[in-house]
Amino acid sequence: MIRDNSEERFPLVDEEGRVIGSATRGECHNGSRWLHPVVHLHVFNSRGEVYLQKRPEWKDIQPGKWDTSVGGHIDYGETPEQALTREVREELGITGFTPERIGMYVFDSRRESELVYVNRTVYDGPVMPSAEELDGGRFWTIDEIRTAMGKNILTPNFESEFQRFFL
């Protein structure tokens, strides 16, 4: 069974994104709520639909739910831009895209606290979701997303972020 590497090192940051330490994935996800940075990319096509990824059942956070096009942790020593390029390539096989950063915020849950760097792009090329990291994905219309909200289909993080930045 595939699992996340609980020993992977993440930077710990303040609310401005300045690195103040490091901790393992396991420590960041065990309820410590230590603030660690992540990148999100919302991939829109030219018709205004947004690509959502399906989280695999083995994930430790929100398994089996539909989520932001790309989301991933920033590795220790990596910039948000480097992490975004790496995660988009790893998760969706996309290399030729132009990200636009549209904001950042702190996301808190019972298990973790993340500083989220939110980006968007318009992309009409091929999307090849990673068979190892995802259970596939597809483009959704805005109406489909609105209909699915609050029904335990989408991750709470995606719902709150999409409402904040796009609805």
Side-chain angles (χ1 to χ4, degrees), residues 43 85 88-97 123 125-128:
V43 177
T85 299
V88 173
R89 183 184 66 247
E90 288 174 3
E91 292 188 0
L92 299 184
I94 295 173
T95 54
F97 71 101
Y123 178 81
V127 179
M128 296 163 290

Side-chain angles (χ1 to χ4, degrees), residues 110-129:
R110 285 195 318 274
R111 290 195 51 194
E112 65 175 338
S113 190
E114 297 176 330
L115 179 64
V116 184
Y117 290 85
V118 183
N119 300 270
R120 71 183 304 274
T121 194
V122 175
Y123 178 81
D124 286 313
V127 179
M128 296 163 290

Side-chain angles (χ1 to χ4, degrees), residues 99-161:
E100 172 195 356
R101 183 172 303 161
I102 57 173
M104 57 192 266
Y105 69 97
V106 173
F107 178 77
D108 268 317
S109 73
R110 285 195 318 274
R111 290 195 51 194
E112 65 175 338
S113 190
E114 297 176 330
L115 179 64
V116 184
Y117 290 85
V118 183
N119 300 270
R120 71 183 304 274
T121 194
V122 175
Y123 178 81
D124 286 313
V127 179
M128 296 163 290
S130 163
E132 284 102 54
E133 292 200 36
L134 310 177
D135 275 351
R138 68 174 179 86
F139 280 95
W140 292 54
T141 67
I142 300 302
D143 284 344
E144 285 178 307
I145 290 171
R146 280 195 170 110
T147 300
M149 284 191 166
K151 295 187 174 140
N152 213 27
I153 296 167
L154 309 168
T155 66
N157 190 348
F158 170 77
E159 287 188 6
S160 65
E161 185 172 306

Side-chain angles (χ1 to χ4, degrees), residues 71-85:
H73 292 90
I74 296 175
D75 290 337
Y76 193 79
E78 201 175 34
T79 66
E81 296 75 21
Q82 290 167 331
L84 187 66
T85 299

Side-chain angles (χ1 to χ4, degrees), residues 9 13-14 20 27 31-32 36 45 54 67 72 80 94 97 117 129 132 139 145 161-162 167:
R9 285 215 86 70
V13 296
D14 65 17
I20 56 172
E27 291 168 329
S32 68
H36 56 287
N45 62 25
K54 180 100 183 277
D67 200 5
I94 295 173
F97 71 101
Y117 290 85
E132 284 102 54
F139 280 95
I145 290 171
E161 185 172 306
F162 202 77
L167 294 182

